[in-house]
Amino acid sequence: MAVKSDEFKQFLINGLKLEDIGVDDINDDDALFGDEGLGLDSVDSIELVLIIEKEYGIKINNSEEYQEIFKSVNSLLKYINDNK
């Protein structure tokens, strides 16, 4: 069963303990890192990899694709659904 966008956004909010952000505040094409979008940092990236592995059983080992996988909510969700 594919993970849906709103479900995944709530997973991000809960897993990363993002305060003052709701599902409706996150755009599917928002950048996950940097000054745009969610503004996650390197510590968040490590935590995100660990919680994705725990929740979905998916390991993200390909460092060459890392930037593309973590580009946006959509790209990460697509990777999870393609590899689940």
XYZ file of all heavy atoms in Angstrom:
668
model
N 0.843 -1.183 0.000
C 0.000 0.000 0.000
C 0.889 1.248 0.000
O 1.793 1.378 0.812
C -0.898 -0.014 1.236
C -1.884 1.116 1.258
S -3.132 0.907 2.550
C -2.396 1.841 3.861
N 0.632 2.139 -0.906
C 1.442 3.352 -1.050
C 1.200 4.317 0.107
O 0.082 4.447 0.610
C 1.120 4.038 -2.368
N 2.263 4.972 0.511
C 2.166 5.995 1.543
C 1.627 7.258 0.877
O 2.126 7.687 -0.164
C 3.554 6.267 2.172
C 3.454 7.341 3.228
C 4.144 4.988 2.740
N 0.613 7.849 1.466
C -0.012 9.050 0.910
C 0.690 10.303 1.424
O 1.306 10.296 2.484
C -1.492 9.081 1.270
C -2.255 7.886 0.700
C -3.729 8.109 0.740
C -4.557 6.972 0.245
N -4.058 6.102 -0.720
N 0.570 11.363 0.663
C 1.272 12.610 0.945
C 0.968 13.167 2.340
O 1.882 13.464 3.103
C 0.919 13.648 -0.124
O 1.556 14.863 0.148
N -0.312 13.311 2.676
C -0.659 13.888 3.990
C -0.184 13.003 5.139
O 0.271 13.497 6.164
C -2.169 14.123 4.101
C -2.627 15.340 3.312
O -1.763 16.098 2.812
O -3.845 15.541 3.191
N -0.272 11.696 4.945
C 0.201 10.747 5.958
C 1.709 10.918 6.161
O 2.211 10.930 7.284
C -0.121 9.330 5.484
C 0.420 8.228 6.343
C 0.215 6.853 5.723
O -0.703 6.688 4.881
O 0.986 5.950 6.070
N 2.439 11.067 5.053
C 3.891 11.228 5.137
C 4.277 12.560 5.766
O 5.213 12.632 6.564
C 4.522 11.086 3.746
C 6.016 11.163 3.777
C 6.755 10.173 4.402
C 6.681 12.224 3.203
C 8.132 10.244 4.456
C 8.058 12.301 3.249
C 8.786 11.307 3.877
N 3.540 13.612 5.433
C 3.815 14.925 6.033
C 3.626 14.872 7.547
O 4.427 15.427 8.304
C 2.913 15.993 5.422
C 3.247 16.314 3.985
C 2.226 17.289 3.426
C 2.329 17.439 1.940
N 1.293 18.317 1.394
N 2.580 14.182 7.998
C 2.354 14.044 9.441
C 3.472 13.230 10.075
O 3.930 13.533 11.177
C 0.993 13.398 9.709
C 0.579 13.454 11.166
C 0.431 14.887 11.664
O -0.310 15.679 11.106
N 1.151 15.228 12.726
N 3.943 12.214 9.358
C 5.080 11.423 9.813
C 6.317 12.307 9.999
O 7.032 12.199 10.993
C 5.345 10.302 8.799
C 6.652 9.603 8.973
C 6.837 8.669 9.971
C 7.715 9.874 8.118
C 8.055 8.015 10.115
C 8.927 9.231 8.259
C 9.094 8.296 9.264
N 6.563 13.211 9.033
C 7.691 14.143 9.131
C 7.546 15.059 10.343
O 8.497 15.269 11.100
C 7.805 15.004 7.875
C 8.326 14.362 6.601
C 8.263 15.349 5.450
C 9.746 13.860 6.798
N 6.368 15.616 10.512
C 6.109 16.539 11.611
C 6.339 15.843 12.950
O 7.036 16.367 13.825
C 4.675 17.110 11.526
C 4.546 18.031 10.313
C 4.297 17.844 12.806
C 3.117 18.390 9.940
N 5.783 14.660 13.105
C 5.922 13.918 14.360
C 7.344 13.415 14.567
O 7.909 13.557 15.657
C 4.954 12.738 14.403
C 3.506 13.159 14.414
O 3.167 14.294 14.714
N 2.634 12.228 14.059
N 7.912 12.815 13.529
C 9.234 12.201 13.637
C 10.347 13.192 13.905
O 11.282 12.901 14.648
N 10.234 14.373 13.308
C 11.272 15.394 13.480
C 10.881 16.439 14.517
O 11.596 17.411 14.721
C 11.575 16.069 12.131
C 12.158 15.149 11.068
C 12.284 15.884 9.739
C 13.510 14.598 11.503
N 9.729 16.218 15.143
C 9.237 17.135 16.179
C 9.222 18.586 15.690
O 9.744 19.485 16.336
C 10.061 16.984 17.456
C 9.953 15.589 18.062
C 10.955 15.408 19.172
C 10.954 13.997 19.720
N 11.396 12.968 18.814
N 8.626 18.770 14.510
C 8.521 20.110 13.926
C 7.379 20.850 14.612
O 6.223 20.449 14.512
C 8.277 20.016 12.417
C 9.330 19.261 11.612
C 8.907 19.137 10.163
C 10.682 19.963 11.716
N 7.726 21.894 15.307
C 6.726 22.663 16.050
C 6.120 23.742 15.169
O 6.767 24.272 14.274
C 7.366 23.285 17.289
C 7.913 22.242 18.249
C 8.617 22.859 19.440
O 8.604 24.095 19.582
O 9.190 22.091 20.223
N 4.881 24.055 15.435
C 4.170 25.137 14.743
C 4.027 24.900 13.244
O 3.918 25.852 12.470
C 4.849 26.492 14.989
C 4.929 26.821 16.477
O 3.975 26.499 17.206
O 5.946 27.392 16.898
N 4.071 23.646 12.814
C 3.879 23.321 11.403
C 2.783 22.271 11.314
O 2.803 21.274 12.046
C 5.172 22.758 10.763
C 6.266 23.817 10.732
C 4.899 22.257 9.350
C 7.570 23.355 10.137
N 1.853 22.503 10.409
C 0.795 21.535 10.165
C 0.940 20.930 8.793
O 1.699 21.427 7.955
N 0.197 19.876 8.545
C 0.238 19.190 7.251
C -0.038 20.171 6.111
O 0.628 20.144 5.078
C -0.773 18.016 7.236
C -0.941 17.448 5.844
C -0.342 16.937 8.212
N -1.006 21.064 6.312
C -1.373 22.021 5.264
C -0.304 23.079 5.006
O -0.333 23.760 3.985
C -2.696 22.709 5.607
C -3.871 21.734 5.590
O -3.771 20.694 4.916
O -4.880 22.015 6.259
N 0.654 23.209 5.929
C 1.740 24.181 5.765
C 2.867 23.651 4.879
O 3.755 24.403 4.487
C 2.329 24.568 7.130
C 1.321 25.241 8.032
O 0.462 25.988 7.512
O 1.373 25.027 9.262
N 2.843 22.359 4.607
C 3.909 21.735 3.836
C 3.411 21.481 2.422
O 2.451 20.763 2.201
C 4.365 20.408 4.473
C 4.830 20.638 5.911
C 5.477 19.773 3.637
C 5.136 19.360 6.673
N 4.107 22.069 1.459
C 3.811 21.886 0.051
C 4.561 20.651 -0.443
O 5.700 20.425 -0.042
C 4.302 23.126 -0.710
C 3.461 23.448 -1.897
O 2.952 22.560 -2.556
N 3.331 24.734 -2.165
N 3.968 19.861 -1.307
C 4.612 18.636 -1.800
C 5.946 18.898 -2.485
O 6.826 18.053 -2.475
C 3.691 17.899 -2.770
C 2.510 17.252 -2.056
O 2.543 17.129 -0.820
O 1.558 16.863 -2.754
N 6.084 20.060 -3.097
C 7.323 20.390 -3.803
C 8.277 21.241 -2.978
O 9.310 21.673 -3.477
C 6.998 21.100 -5.125
C 6.277 20.169 -6.090
O 6.665 18.994 -6.187
O 5.319 20.616 -6.741
N 7.947 21.473 -1.709
C 8.834 22.238 -0.834
C 10.168 21.523 -0.671
O 10.218 20.301 -0.533
C 8.224 22.406 0.569
C 7.195 23.505 0.648
O 7.046 24.270 -0.328
O 6.524 23.613 1.696
N 11.233 22.306 -0.660
C 12.552 21.750 -0.378
C 12.580 21.292 1.076
O 11.984 21.928 1.946
C 13.621 22.813 -0.613
N 13.256 20.194 1.335
C 13.371 19.712 2.711
C 14.479 20.441 3.458
O 14.370 20.697 4.646
C 13.645 18.204 2.721
C 12.521 17.312 2.198
C 12.988 15.865 2.114
C 11.300 17.422 3.098
N 15.565 20.788 2.734
C 16.737 21.389 3.373
C 17.000 22.779 2.820
O 16.540 23.136 1.748
C 17.958 20.486 3.149
C 17.783 19.134 3.776
C 17.293 18.077 3.037
C 18.075 18.932 5.106
C 17.094 16.836 3.608
C 17.888 17.693 5.694
C 17.397 16.646 4.940
N 17.761 23.562 3.572
C 18.113 24.910 3.139
C 17.119 25.938 3.641
O 16.265 25.654 4.475
N 17.242 27.135 3.115
C 16.426 28.253 3.586
C 14.991 28.205 3.076
O 14.115 28.833 3.631
C 17.067 29.582 3.178
C 18.413 29.788 3.861
O 18.621 29.212 4.951
O 19.260 30.509 3.301
N 14.777 27.491 1.987
C 13.433 27.377 1.420
C 12.715 26.173 2.035
O 13.333 25.268 2.559
C 13.526 27.194 -0.097
C 14.247 28.304 -0.820
C 13.513 29.629 -0.760
O 12.285 29.626 -0.897
O 14.182 30.652 -0.567
N 11.413 26.146 1.945
C 10.646 24.987 2.393
C 10.740 24.736 3.882
O 10.582 25.643 4.690
N 11.047 23.488 4.254
C 11.067 23.118 5.675
C 12.316 23.590 6.407
O 12.312 23.693 7.620
C 10.947 21.596 5.818
C 9.594 21.005 5.467
C 9.619 19.491 5.630
C 8.503 21.601 6.323
N 13.397 23.834 5.697
C 14.610 24.349 6.325
C 15.298 23.360 7.247
O 15.905 23.751 8.245
N 15.230 22.068 6.923
C 15.892 21.066 7.744
C 17.400 21.202 7.621
O 17.908 21.743 6.646
C 15.458 19.662 7.302
C 13.964 19.355 7.350
C 13.699 17.927 6.866
C 13.391 19.563 8.732
N 18.125 20.689 8.623
C 19.586 20.772 8.600
C 20.198 19.370 8.602
O 19.488 18.370 8.520
C 20.100 21.610 9.766
C 19.724 21.048 11.131
O 19.441 19.829 11.224
O 19.711 21.813 12.099
N 21.517 19.296 8.723
C 22.218 18.015 8.629
C 21.839 17.063 9.764
O 21.772 15.847 9.556
C 23.730 18.223 8.590
O 24.160 18.907 9.743
N 21.590 17.587 10.945
C 21.156 16.743 12.063
C 19.790 16.140 11.748
O 19.546 14.950 11.980
C 21.121 17.536 13.388
C 20.521 16.701 14.511
C 22.501 18.018 13.762
N 18.907 16.960 11.178
C 17.589 16.461 10.772
C 17.719 15.358 9.722
O 16.949 14.404 9.725
C 16.720 17.593 10.197
C 16.329 18.629 11.234
O 16.046 18.248 12.382
O 16.305 19.822 10.885
N 18.693 15.493 8.822
C 18.844 14.491 7.760
C 19.208 13.129 8.338
O 18.684 12.108 7.900
C 19.867 14.932 6.715
O 21.174 14.863 7.215
N 20.080 13.116 9.321
C 20.464 11.856 9.966
C 19.255 11.244 10.661
O 18.965 10.054 10.524
C 21.614 12.085 10.971
C 22.876 12.527 10.228
C 21.868 10.821 11.801
C 23.954 13.080 11.120
N 18.540 12.066 11.392
C 17.347 11.599 12.099
C 16.294 11.092 11.109
O 15.660 10.060 11.332
C 16.781 12.736 12.950
C 15.771 12.274 13.965
C 15.404 13.356 14.957
O 16.100 14.383 15.063
O 14.379 13.169 15.624
N 16.134 11.805 10.004
C 15.155 11.432 8.994
C 15.491 10.072 8.382
O 14.611 9.224 8.211
C 15.083 12.513 7.917
C 14.015 12.386 6.848
C 12.625 12.254 7.454
C 14.060 13.604 5.924
N 16.752 9.839 8.073
C 17.172 8.550 7.523
C 16.847 7.428 8.512
O 16.327 6.379 8.131
C 18.678 8.559 7.172
C 19.182 7.149 6.886
C 18.946 9.472 5.987
N 17.114 7.671 9.784
C 16.869 6.645 10.804
C 15.385 6.357 10.991
O 14.986 5.189 11.097
C 17.495 7.068 12.138
C 19.015 7.143 12.166
C 19.501 7.723 13.488
C 19.622 5.781 11.918
N 14.554 7.398 11.016
C 13.128 7.156 11.228
C 12.469 6.543 9.989
O 11.529 5.770 10.113
C 12.367 8.410 11.737
C 12.399 9.564 10.748
C 12.872 8.821 13.103
C 11.590 10.787 11.167
N 12.971 6.849 8.795
C 12.452 6.219 7.576
C 12.810 4.734 7.583
O 11.982 3.883 7.252
C 12.994 6.915 6.313
C 12.315 8.277 6.149
C 12.796 6.052 5.068
C 12.908 9.151 5.079
N 14.029 4.432 8.000
C 14.454 3.044 8.074
C 13.592 2.270 9.075
O 13.141 1.162 8.802
C 15.921 2.975 8.482
C 16.504 1.593 8.439
C 18.001 1.590 8.710
O 18.711 2.429 8.134
O 18.433 0.741 9.510
N 13.339 2.885 10.222
C 12.544 2.227 11.264
C 11.078 2.079 10.849
O 10.487 1.013 10.988
C 12.638 3.027 12.562
C 11.886 2.398 13.702
C 12.025 3.205 14.977
C 11.215 2.575 16.095
N 11.242 3.380 17.296
N 10.482 3.132 10.326
C 9.058 3.142 9.999
C 8.731 2.347 8.741
O 7.737 1.622 8.698
C 8.578 4.584 9.824
C 7.112 4.722 9.456
C 6.153 4.386 10.578
O 6.555 4.379 11.758
O 4.980 4.125 10.279
N 9.553 2.473 7.710
C 9.234 1.885 6.413
C 10.155 0.723 6.025
O 9.946 0.094 4.988
C 9.266 2.954 5.317
C 8.282 4.068 5.566
C 8.723 5.344 5.920
C 6.910 3.850 5.462
C 7.815 6.367 6.158
C 6.000 4.874 5.707
C 6.463 6.125 6.049
O 5.568 7.149 6.298
N 11.202 0.476 6.818
C 12.120 -0.616 6.514
C 12.957 -0.377 5.275
O 13.378 -1.320 4.610
N 13.206 0.890 4.960
C 13.954 1.252 3.752
C 15.299 1.852 4.147
O 15.361 2.804 4.914
C 13.164 2.268 2.910
C 11.855 1.641 2.431
C 13.988 2.757 1.729
C 10.920 2.630 1.798
N 16.359 1.281 3.604
C 17.699 1.838 3.829
C 18.045 2.740 2.648
O 17.805 2.378 1.501
C 18.731 0.731 3.965
C 18.570 -0.075 5.225
C 19.708 -1.058 5.371
C 19.477 -1.938 6.572
N 20.254 -1.558 7.716
N 18.604 3.886 2.949
C 19.035 4.813 1.898
C 20.552 4.826 1.926
O 21.165 5.519 2.731
C 18.430 6.216 2.110
C 16.908 6.118 2.154
C 18.885 7.170 1.010
C 16.203 7.387 2.544
N 21.136 4.004 1.068
C 22.590 3.821 1.066
C 23.293 4.538 -0.071
O 24.485 4.733 -0.022
C 22.928 2.328 0.974
C 22.450 1.564 2.189
O 22.453 2.080 3.291
N 22.040 0.324 1.978
N 22.558 4.899 -1.092
C 23.174 5.463 -2.285
C 23.438 6.956 -2.101
O 22.563 7.785 -2.336
C 22.278 5.216 -3.500
C 22.968 5.549 -4.789
O 23.936 6.291 -4.820
N 22.468 4.979 -5.879
N 24.641 7.285 -1.686
C 24.978 8.689 -1.423
C 24.972 9.544 -2.689
O 24.800 10.756 -2.621
C 26.331 8.792 -0.714
O 27.349 8.232 -1.513
N 25.149 8.904 -3.853
C 25.123 9.655 -5.110
C 23.717 10.171 -5.425
O 23.558 11.221 -6.031
C 25.634 8.786 -6.259
C 27.107 8.468 -6.137
C 27.582 7.491 -7.189
O 26.817 7.175 -8.110
O 28.737 7.045 -7.075
N 22.703 9.429 -5.008
C 21.324 9.834 -5.253
C 20.718 10.600 -4.080
O 19.593 11.066 -4.159
C 20.459 8.601 -5.540
C 20.803 7.897 -6.825
C 19.915 6.680 -7.059
O 18.998 6.422 -6.246
O 20.133 5.994 -8.055
N 21.456 10.703 -3.006
C 20.959 11.291 -1.762
C 20.328 12.666 -1.971
O 19.231 12.928 -1.498
C 22.109 11.373 -0.755
C 21.672 11.708 0.655
C 21.234 10.703 1.504
C 21.720 13.006 1.126
C 20.853 10.986 2.796
C 21.325 13.303 2.420
C 20.898 12.300 3.251
O 20.505 12.588 4.528
N 21.029 13.539 -2.697
C 20.533 14.896 -2.916
C 19.210 14.894 -3.677
O 18.308 15.658 -3.365
C 21.568 15.736 -3.662
C 21.803 17.039 -2.983
C 22.895 17.838 -3.689
O 23.593 17.372 -4.582
N 23.038 19.068 -3.279
N 19.097 14.027 -4.657
C 17.865 13.958 -5.443
C 16.719 13.350 -4.633
O 15.588 13.820 -4.705
C 18.107 13.141 -6.722
C 16.995 13.243 -7.725
C 16.715 14.660 -8.221
O 17.657 15.468 -8.360
O 15.530 14.967 -8.445
N 17.027 12.323 -3.849
C 16.003 11.673 -3.024
C 15.433 12.660 -2.010
O 14.226 12.720 -1.792
C 16.594 10.442 -2.291
C 16.958 9.358 -3.294
C 15.612 9.905 -1.249
C 17.812 8.237 -2.713
N 16.301 13.444 -1.394
C 15.884 14.364 -0.332
C 15.628 15.785 -0.838
O 15.623 16.731 -0.062
C 16.923 14.384 0.789
C 16.886 13.141 1.620
C 17.699 12.062 1.311
C 16.022 13.029 2.691
C 17.662 10.909 2.070
C 15.971 11.890 3.461
C 16.794 10.820 3.150
N 15.365 15.930 -2.119
C 15.130 17.246 -2.716
C 13.836 17.879 -2.214
O 13.781 19.062 -1.911
C 15.099 17.109 -4.234
C 14.936 18.399 -4.978
C 14.980 18.148 -6.467
C 14.795 19.444 -7.220
N 14.838 19.230 -8.668
N 12.775 17.075 -2.129
C 11.462 17.596 -1.726
C 10.649 16.499 -1.060
O 11.046 15.334 -1.052
C 10.703 18.115 -2.954
O 10.347 17.025 -3.795
N 9.504 16.871 -0.530
C 8.580 15.899 0.042
C 8.205 14.880 -1.035
O 8.232 13.668 -0.800
C 7.320 16.601 0.601
C 6.266 15.587 1.001
C 7.672 17.496 1.777
N 7.879 15.355 -2.231
C 7.483 14.468 -3.333
C 8.581 13.474 -3.693
O 8.311 12.295 -3.894
C 7.117 15.271 -4.580
C 5.649 15.568 -4.660
O 4.836 14.971 -3.980
N 5.297 16.507 -5.512
N 9.814 13.938 -3.819
C 10.899 13.047 -4.237
C 11.187 11.988 -3.175
O 11.427 10.827 -3.504
C 12.157 13.839 -4.583
O 12.629 14.558 -3.467
N 11.134 12.368 -1.913
C 11.361 11.407 -0.839
C 10.208 10.415 -0.754
O 10.416 9.212 -0.600
C 11.557 12.131 0.490
C 11.877 11.268 1.707
C 13.054 10.344 1.441
C 12.155 12.155 2.912
N 8.999 10.898 -0.879
C 7.821 10.029 -0.851
C 7.841 9.049 -2.025
O 7.534 7.862 -1.868
C 6.554 10.883 -0.879
C 5.229 10.165 -0.682
C 5.214 9.396 0.635
C 4.090 11.168 -0.696
N 8.244 9.518 -3.196
C 8.350 8.643 -4.370
C 9.382 7.552 -4.118
O 9.156 6.380 -4.408
C 8.724 9.451 -5.611
C 8.827 8.595 -6.863
C 9.204 9.411 -8.084
C 9.338 8.629 -9.361
N 9.628 7.237 -9.322
N 10.520 7.923 -3.543
C 11.569 6.937 -3.251
C 11.046 5.880 -2.275
O 11.263 4.680 -2.471
C 12.803 7.635 -2.675
C 13.935 6.672 -2.411
C 14.792 6.303 -3.437
C 14.126 6.115 -1.154
C 15.837 5.401 -3.215
C 15.153 5.208 -0.922
C 15.998 4.861 -1.962
O 17.012 3.953 -1.737
N 10.353 6.328 -1.247
C 9.806 5.384 -0.255
C 8.805 4.447 -0.925
O 8.874 3.232 -0.745
C 9.151 6.157 0.908
C 10.243 6.825 1.755
C 8.301 5.210 1.773
C 9.723 7.805 2.779
N 7.875 4.990 -1.688
C 6.865 4.159 -2.333
C 7.474 3.218 -3.383
O 7.006 2.087 -3.538
C 5.757 5.014 -2.939
C 4.801 5.523 -1.885
O 4.490 4.840 -0.916
N 4.345 6.743 -2.055
N 8.508 3.661 -4.080
C 9.165 2.815 -5.086
C 9.986 1.694 -4.456
O 10.249 0.678 -5.096
C 10.086 3.650 -5.991
C 9.318 4.545 -6.954
O 8.084 4.387 -7.073
O 9.955 5.410 -7.585
N 10.419 1.873 -3.207
C 11.317 0.915 -2.580
C 10.702 0.158 -1.405
O 11.391 -0.571 -0.704
C 12.595 1.624 -2.120
C 13.427 2.076 -3.284
O 14.132 1.299 -3.883
N 13.298 3.339 -3.647
N 9.435 0.368 -1.182
C 8.747 -0.257 -0.063
C 8.487 -1.716 -0.324
O 8.225 -2.165 -1.374
C 7.424 0.481 0.187
C 6.984 0.408 1.588
C 5.885 1.411 1.817
C 5.363 1.123 3.176
N 4.037 0.884 3.330
